[in-house]
Amino acid sequence: MLWELIQKRAHILFPILAPLSSIYRLGDKLRKGIIRPNILPVPVISIGNIVLGGTGKTPACIMLCRWAKEEGYNPSVLLRGYGGKFHGRAGIVSDGERILMSAKEAGDEACLLSENLKGVPVIISKNRYLGAKLSLKRFNTDLFLLDDGFQHISLKRSLDIVLIDSRDPFGNRRLIPWGPLREPIDSLKRADIILLTRADQSEKVKGLKRYITERFKKPVFLAQHIPEDIVFPYLRERISLDDLRGKKVVAFAGIAKGMEFIETLRSLDIDVSHCWLLRDHSFYSPRQIDLFKKYRIRHRADLIITTEKDWMKIKDMNIRYPKLGYLRIRFEIVSDKSLFFNMIRERIKKAYD
């Protein structure tokens, strides 16, 4: 990530980055003092974080939407549509039945949500309140999930869930651009629930949970990203991870923590012979896909593997290549699961009282 490169050169860039971080902190404080949140007639659950990069917000949103559907709610998802070219006031990416925008229009995250959430409308807007009003007008929405919403303070929410990567929770503890923090760590005081993600991959998780519980007096739950299978879209089939053990692959990813994707494949005993890591939200050209195909042949690899999020960015290219697949990940609460969902039920009920 960019901030990691900056951190390596901190002794050189300090005179520039430290003042810029101070300006960022001041601007953030002023913004929070000026903005008055809009209020919706139905509950709003925000899923967010306080650092740049992937903590698992979108998989967590998918999990919560599916839970809400099982509970009998009619949820809709609100998000900005980062990385997309849509410039309208609010747009419908999915009406719950059909996906109406491409990843280039709506962004890869919006399309990933739409692909995984049948029966759940997905709305993009820089102003989530406008997106919510559109959803209320068009759909029978009785619950909103706000993806990446912790900093979007212009919309009042019923519950704030904040995700923290337990392996690297706060980076160098500096604000943008000197570090990865989008807000000071003390902003966790605004959270209602804190989720420590990738808890199975960190030796720090017990100490981190204790630190957050003691300092912020917030309920803390543990979560994992669980690899499920590999989907091969052209073949319209899914292959179990056991069937890929020992297979040689080339891999590519344009996500916030691309190297973690590669490490996940290797942890599954998949032999990654070559990989490409691009910036988060990067789009691909047909020429790049052809290059990946040539490298598979050159390295005598069996398959090409990418992330599900990256597949959203290339599926509209109509790639008819049977050896290209993507890894599916499931987000799961692994500690006090019943308590976690009971807290959400109670907060939704309270919002309606």
Side-chain angles (χ1 to χ4, degrees), residues 306-337:
T306 189
T307 71
E308 187 173 10
K309 184 176 172 183
D310 283 291
W311 173 250
M312 296 300 116
K313 295 180 282 191
I314 62 177
K315 68 174 186 172
D316 292 329
M317 292 182 186
N318 195 27
I319 296 170
R320 297 178 174 274
Y321 194 63
K323 296 184 181 295
L324 172 60
Y326 62 82
L327 176 67
R328 289 198 315 147
I329 298 288
R330 183 178 79 254
F331 189 95
E332 188 166 311
I333 307 297
V334 294
S335 71
D336 301 312
K337 190 172 182 177

Side-chain angles (χ1 to χ4, degrees), residues 58 62 108-117 308-309 312:
T58 300
I62 291 170
D108 46 18
E109 290 163 348
C111 285
L112 179 59
L113 287 161
S114 299
E115 193 74 33
N116 281 274
L117 294 173
E308 187 173 10
K309 184 176 172 183
M312 296 300 116

